[in-house]
Amino acid sequence: MTAATYWRALDRFRDIVTAHPDREAVIYAAGRTATGLPAYQQLTYTELDDWSNAIAENLTAAGVTPGMRTIVLVRPGPELYAVLYGLFKIGSVPVIIDPGMGLFKMMRCLQAADAEAFVGVPEAQAVRIFFRAYFRRVRVAVTVGRGFWRGPTLDSWGRKPTAPLPVREPAPDSDPLLIAYTTGSTGPAKAVVLTHGNLSAMIDQVDAAREHVAPGTSLITAPVAGILELLLGSRCVLPPLIPSEVGATDPAQVVDAVRRFEVKTMFASPAVLIPLLRHIEQNSVALPTLESIYSGGAPVPDWCIAGLREVLPEQARVYSGYGATEALPMATIESRELLGDLVERAHRGEGVCVGKPALRVRARIVAITDDPLPTWLDVDERAEELAVSRWIGELVVTGPNVSTRYLWPEAANAIGKIADGETVWHRTGDLARIDDAGRIWFCGRKSQRVETADGPMFTVQVEQVFNVVPGVARTALVGVGERGAQRPVLCVELEAGADQQVVEIGLHKRQAEFEVTGKVTEFLFHHRFPVDIRHNAKIGREKLAVWATRQLNS
């Protein structure tokens, strides 16, 4: 019989419930006020504890056991946190995925998860029923919302347990806690196994990043941030947003939430921060309570960081985070360190400085190769190749928050992990270098490097040089042709109202100033770059390469 377990970090949650039972845990948008702004409701820590206990009780009665994988397709909101905490309390393993990756790609990923339980909104349940062959092992299905078929719903279970939960033992740190799929924006989506120890380490890293200061009220636009913040005692504010269109979030509603609830900390992608900055500048809005911003998903443009520093209180901190589903966070850097010589160096083509490795994370650089590197001996055999690439190589990391394996596809473990005795290094797929101060300089994705006849070119290095040209919103370097003989082409997205001819003159002038940009053969103007589904910030260079090829061949 499987031992009854729970996630040890929930002890923090119980301490908060005991000490602050009436503190708001989740403050969420629900409808609109007469003025058109969002109306908010709230869930206290006690209510969230009771609700997740009721879910845990009913899932257990339905046959959900420790270690059983449970697909969770629930929109960001109080229901999501209640379901996740309920699963964590009984040792079941939630499987999280972005529906925005497309139906059939998502179906293949969920089939590979081999789950036996399914918690989802009615639309998700309809997909499960219609494509039942993909979910043959599912024997427990719970609908979040009003279902149109027989079966339990979250509402039917109520929000209070009928009895105390049975005593459980904390699971070992090595046990799986969560299965999270990568977006598949720069390659096939992979099922990442995050253990009890991985998520516990993330809590410690978030706590350390804010210098162990009580979080107060946090605005959340990424669910994983909410999971961690609740375990630190935060009041989590969830503004209205569409998960697959985070960039469409109304900045006026973000400002309203920050001001209404006196938000101290904000977690957001550049796709949220850029419109927010513009809104603040255009409307002369003050956000006096905001003390820190943490951004991730893609590098935040330095002009955006500088702009936020101008409009926020002087003591406020703006952190640019760097991480991945497999390793969150890997590094962070604060605006005061970044804005200065580091930005100037980025504009000269050195890449983007993402800061020093996060707490207890170790980082190294290995030679650029698409081949597996099973052991560190294989890494050492290629060490001399780093000199050829100017000490730029693939970044690999290890640490307590870093996932050591994929659930699916199994082949991803061979290509994505390196064994070093008892230590497992994760290959990030990112190209970078580490300077003498131990800071990581991000140079671009390995899969997006441009292989010319004269050697490789790295996307972010080149783009940072051109992004400062007036009228340029952003740029993307892509390769056209066969690898090893690719033409480096720069795709350019203009700012609204910019004169294309004037911008093109500026691009040519800028190109002539730097060796790293000299090989670019063409400038192509694109009306709007494709971006990733999760953060709406990572540029889809693979799609742009196809577009550029058509443009040059037409």
Side-chain angles (χ1 to χ4, degrees), residues 106-117:
M106 181 182 73
M107 298 300 295
R108 179 70 188 94
C109 291
L110 291 178
Q111 182 184 40
D114 200 28
E116 295 181 66

Side-chain angles (χ1 to χ4, degrees), residues 145 375 407:
T375 71
L407 175 70

Side-chain angles (χ1 to χ4, degrees), residues 147-165:
F148 51 85
W149 51 82
R150 293 180 180 179
T153 65
L154 204 63
D155 288 344
S156 70
W157 283 353
R159 296 197 177 190
K160 289 191 177 234
T162 60
L165 289 181

Side-chain angles (χ1 to χ4, degrees), residues 433-447:
R433 62 184 179 84
I434 299 176
D435 67 17
D436 292 340
R439 295 175 299 216
I440 299 168
W441 289 77
F442 174 59
C443 298
R445 288 290 292 171
K446 182 176 67 173
S447 62

Side-chain angles (χ1 to χ4, degrees), residues 371-374 406 409-418 427:
D371 297 332
L373 295 170
Y406 296 102
E410 181 59 35
N413 289 305
I415 199 71
K417 308 297 177 184
I418 305 171
R427 298 177 67 177

